């Protein structure tokens, strides 16, 4: 059973002519099941289709793979479950991992996605790395293969909010991983700050997937850890812009240029600090031409969104960042405390703001499409999105500002796609598991939550184990809430034995007929002494009597 959650986005043209010098913002008026689209998701593109990866919580049983084909057409969201191949590995729904495409060379058409790190629905950090590829497409049935890669050497620790890119040099390719946050090491944790996070060391990791090895580089130009920064890769160079440092609570104004040379021997990694950086975190980058990008969104500080936009131009070994005309932001966007979004490719961005105070569903969000470049009339614009963003699942009191609620990291990967109509998936059609009993509150101390539950017993798959209490008309309780061991649970399920939950166990004892107790003879304090008797023969008795009467 796979816990990967993937959705397909398709946004057709809305019949708008757009100039290249002005951005246009359009609201997606109706988004069904928008509660599934929470901060922390990522988008992947395969064979012209975009898939959503990393929903909030665990997938439901209507789609056991957790993979969905999703599109937006006429302001309606449609979803169709997708599938995994039998040889695929387990992949949990990871929020804000680092991901990028891997090609055999920079101009190759075929590619697969690299996914590293991220948070599970239980807020555990992953240190695993996966390769995900499309293996078949037949009659709109998408089948994917996911493989976990084993690495040796300087393996990066579990983290989130980082970036990964692929560089090409001298006919070779390598992945470059940088930044992110991780939990405080176990030996440094305290009860009050058990789940606190820290910046990862500012090391640059070179990953060679051909030989399965990692090498870390400590560069003097990189002194502070960064997370939720922007990274743009071009040939053998990566530009790192902005980012947030927990240690200093600052957003770096530096612009870093990493150059990776891959000769026959050992790789050479150099870093240069360039002028003209921007102090911003969680910005979104969308590509509008071969060498031109647009920087949108992000945060200036903990309580101030960045509404300005910039154009980034890459030419040869140079980078130029200039301010561009911003769109006319709506009042809702201007006044909301947080926002999130992702690059949709073709110069378009999907933006979301919370709608908790405006909609019946507390987890629902409002979504907008920001178009950063012109589009041809009467032609559908094909868009692809790839993001890595934060979620809002942790208690803000235990988190740093914007952590797990308003910080996002984004990478600039853009391709074109088109999407066919898909069968509608409606979350309202999902069987109400609260009525079937699996997700009920079985007792006062019940802690089983559909969004955070993970298998506890080896016999569990996608539902918690339950047992019937025989009190009265009977009611179901979670075995885990009753503190039942797996051995005891198996014994109760196999044997014909009535079970009573912790609340009714005393009542059961009072109703039971007392068992007949066998009285045991108590031995005396001192054993009695038996008199010794002599047995006499008949002749002896007669002889004794004669003597007695003589």
């Amino acid at each position: 059973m796979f816990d990967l959650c993937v959705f397909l986005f398709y946004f057709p043209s809305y019949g708008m002519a757009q100039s290249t010098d002005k951005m246009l913002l359009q609201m997606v008026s109706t988004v069904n099941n928008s509660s599934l689209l929470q901060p922390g998701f990522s988008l992947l593109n395969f064979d012209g289709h975009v898939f959503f990866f990393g929903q909030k919580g665990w997938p439901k049983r209507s789609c056991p793979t957790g993979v969905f084909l999703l599109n937006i057409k006429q302001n309606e969201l449609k979803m169709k479950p997708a599938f995994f191949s039998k040889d695929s590995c387990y992949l949990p729904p990871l929020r804000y991992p680092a991901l990028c495409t891997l090609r055999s060379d920079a101009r190759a058409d075929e590619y697969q996605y690299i996914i590293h790190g991220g948070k599970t629905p239980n807020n555990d950090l992953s240190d695993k790395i996966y390769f995900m590829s499309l293996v078949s497409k037949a009659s709109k049935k998408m089948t994917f293969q996911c493989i976990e890669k084993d690495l040796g050497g300087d393996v990066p620790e579990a983290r989130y909010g980082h970036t990964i890119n692929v560089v090409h040099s001298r006919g070779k390719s390598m992945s470059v991983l940088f930044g992110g946050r991780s939990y405080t090491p176990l030996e440094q944790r305290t009860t009050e700050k058990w789940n606190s996070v820290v910046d990862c060391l500012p090391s640059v990791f070179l990953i060679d997937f051909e030989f399965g090895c990692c090498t870390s580089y400590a560069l003097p130009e990189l002194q502070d850890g960064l997370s939720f920064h922007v990274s743009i890769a071009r040939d053998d160079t990566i530009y790192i812009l902005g980012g947030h440092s927990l240690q200093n609570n600052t957003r770096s104004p530096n612009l870093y240029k990493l150059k990776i040379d891959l000769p026959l021997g050992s790789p050479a990694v150099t870093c240069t600090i360039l002028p003209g950086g921007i102090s911003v975190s969680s910005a979104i980058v969308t590509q509008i031409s071969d060498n031109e990008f647009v920087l949108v969104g992000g945060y200036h500080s903990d309580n101030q969104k960045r509404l300005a936009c910039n154009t980034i131009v890459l030419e040869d070994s140079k980078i130029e960042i200039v301010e561009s005309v911003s769109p006319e932001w709506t009042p809702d966007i201007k006044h909301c405390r947080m926002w999130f979004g992702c690059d949709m490719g073709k110069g378009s961005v999907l933006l979301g703001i919370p709608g908790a105070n405006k909609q019946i569903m507390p987890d629902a969000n409002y979504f907008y499409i920001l178009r950063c470049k012109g589009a041809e009339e009467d032609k559908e614009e094909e868009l692809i999105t790839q993001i890595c963003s934060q979620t809002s699942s942790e208690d803000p009191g235990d988190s740093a500002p914007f952590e797990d609620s308003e910080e996002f990291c984004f990478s600039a990967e853009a391709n074109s796609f088109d999407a066919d109509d898909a069968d509608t998936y409606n979350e309202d059609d999902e069987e109400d598991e609260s009525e079937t009993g699996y997700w009920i509150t079985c007792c006062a101390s019940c802690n089983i939550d559909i969004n955070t539950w993970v298998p506890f017993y080896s016999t569990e798959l996608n539902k918690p184990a339950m047992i019937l209490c025989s009190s009265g008309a009977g009611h179901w309780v979670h075995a885990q809430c009753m503190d039942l061991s797996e051995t005891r649970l198996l014994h109760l399920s196999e044997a014909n034995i009535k079970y009573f939950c912790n609340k009714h166990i005393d009542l059961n004892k009072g109703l039971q007929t007392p068992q007949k107790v066998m009285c045991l003879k108590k031995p005396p304090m001192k054993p009695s002494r038996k008199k010794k008797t002599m047995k006499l023969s008949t002749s002896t008795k007669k002889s004794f009597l004669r003597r007695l009467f003589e």
Side-chain angles (χ1 to χ4, degrees), residues 437-443 445-449 453-460 463-469 475-493 499-503:
Y438 289 105
W439 309 110
I440 62 172
T441 302
C442 66
C443 61
S445 60
C446 179
N447 58 359
I448 301 297
D449 186 351
W453 176 83
V454 292
F456 180 79
Y457 301 100
S458 62
T459 55
E460 292 176 328
K463 298 182 292 292
M466 303 194 75
I467 188 168
L468 179 67
C469 174
H475 64 96
W476 291 91
V477 292
H478 299 114
Q480 185 176 352
C481 297
M482 298 296 107
D483 297 325
L484 293 177
S485 66
E486 185 161 343
T487 303
R488 177 65 173 165
L489 179 61
L490 291 174
H491 174 69
L492 292 171
S493 63
Y499 171 77
F500 290 84
C501 67
N502 296 341
K503 180 180 180 180

Side-chain angles (χ1 to χ4, degrees), residues 43-87:
L43 295 181
L44 316 176
N45 171 268
F46 287 104
D47 195 24
H49 299 279
V50 176
F51 296 86
F52 174 90
F53 164 61
Q55 74 170 47
K56 182 181 180 181
W58 298 96
K60 293 186 177 182
R61 62 172 174 258
S62 291
C63 179
T65 62
V67 179
F68 288 91
L69 182 71
L70 185 150
N71 66 4
I72 294 180
K73 191 173 183 180
Q74 297 179 350
N75 290 337
E76 290 185 357
L77 183 98
K78 298 181 180 180
M79 293 183 291
K80 180 182 179 181
F83 304 88
F84 269 24
S85 62
K86 294 182 179 180
D87 57 348

Side-chain angles (χ1 to χ4, degrees), residues 391-408:
T391 186
S392 54
S393 60
E394 292 188 354
D395 182 2
D398 297 333
S399 305
F402 293 114
E403 194 241 322
D404 291 332
S405 60
E406 289 127 72
E407 288 288 353
F408 319 96

Side-chain angles (χ1 to χ4, degrees), residues 3 12 55 93 100 110 133 138 205 210 217 247 252 259 274 315 343 349 358 452 514:
D3 288 330
Q55 74 170 47
C100 68
E110 295 185 359
S133 56
F205 292 87
E210 182 180 357
Y217 294 83
Q247 182 178 1
S252 173
K259 190 173 181 61
L274 303 177
E315 291 184 355
D343 168 35
V349 172
K358 304 169 185 179
T452 60

Side-chain angles (χ1 to χ4, degrees), residues 310-517:
N310 294 86
T311 300
I312 301 174
V313 180
L314 303 181
E315 291 184 355
D316 298 329
S317 298
K318 297 180 180 180
I319 180 173
E320 182 182 5
I321 303 175
V322 296
E323 188 170 349
S324 57
V325 179
S326 300
E328 296 180 1
W329 301 113
T330 64
D332 287 340
I333 292 180
K334 290 181 180 179
H335 297 111
C336 68
R337 182 173 178 266
M338 63 164 286
W339 58 350
F340 59 97
C342 55
D343 168 35
M344 301 177 63
K346 291 286 187 179
S348 297
V349 172
L350 176 66
L351 293 173
I353 61 174
N357 298 328
K358 304 169 185 179
Q359 299 182 6
I360 297 176
M361 297 180 61
D363 292 333
N365 299 310
Y366 288 126
F367 291 96
Y368 296 82
I369 299 175
L370 175 64
R371 304 186 184 278
C372 302
K373 72 168 189 174
E376 297 179 6
E377 295 183 5
D378 301 325
K379 179 180 180 180
E380 292 188 349
E381 187 175 13
E382 300 169 335
L383 309 169
I384 177 176
T385 310
Q386 176 180 319
I387 74 160
C388 173
S389 62
Q390 286 269 25
T391 186
S392 54
S393 60
E394 292 188 354
D395 182 2
D398 297 333
S399 305
F402 293 114
E403 194 241 322
D404 291 332
S405 60
E406 289 127 72
E407 288 288 353
F408 319 96
C409 68
F410 307 89
S411 60
E413 300 275 346
N415 294 292
S416 299
F417 80 97
D418 56 10
D420 298 326
D421 291 340
D423 295 337
T424 301
Y425 168 83
N426 193 337
E427 191 180 15
D428 297 333
D429 296 335
E430 189 82 53
E431 182 180 353
D432 187 358
E433 297 187 345
S434 63
E435 295 181 2
T436 60
Y438 289 105
W439 309 110
I440 62 172
T441 302
C442 66
C443 61
S445 60
C446 179
N447 58 359
I448 301 297
D449 186 351
I450 189 174
N451 294 319
T452 60
W453 176 83
V454 292
F456 180 79
Y457 301 100
S458 62
T459 55
E460 292 176 328
L461 187 59
N462 60 353
K463 298 182 292 292
M466 303 194 75
I467 188 168
L468 179 67
C469 174
S470 300
S471 174
H475 64 96
W476 291 91
V477 292
H478 299 114
Q480 185 176 352
C481 297
M482 298 296 107
D483 297 325
L484 293 177
S485 66
E486 185 161 343
T487 303
R488 177 65 173 165
L489 179 61
L490 291 174
H491 174 69
L492 292 171
S493 63
E494 294 172 357
N496 187 17
I497 303 174
K498 287 187 176 182
Y499 171 77
F500 290 84
C501 67
N502 296 341
K503 180 180 180 180
H504 299 116
I505 185 65
D506 294 332
L507 176 62
N508 173 52
K509 291 180 179 178
L511 294 176
Q512 286 180 344
T513 303
Q515 295 181 357
K516 185 177 180 179
V517 179

Side-chain angles (χ1 to χ4, degrees), residues 148-175:
E148 180 182 343
K149 291 289 185 178
D150 294 326
L151 300 177
D154 305 327
V155 180
E157 64 179 320
R159 62 187 67 200
Y160 69 99
H162 55 304
T163 56
I164 188 170
N165 300 89
V166 175
V167 293
H168 305 274
S169 173
R170 302 174 185 260
K172 299 180 181 179
S173 300
M174 275 197 180
S175 294

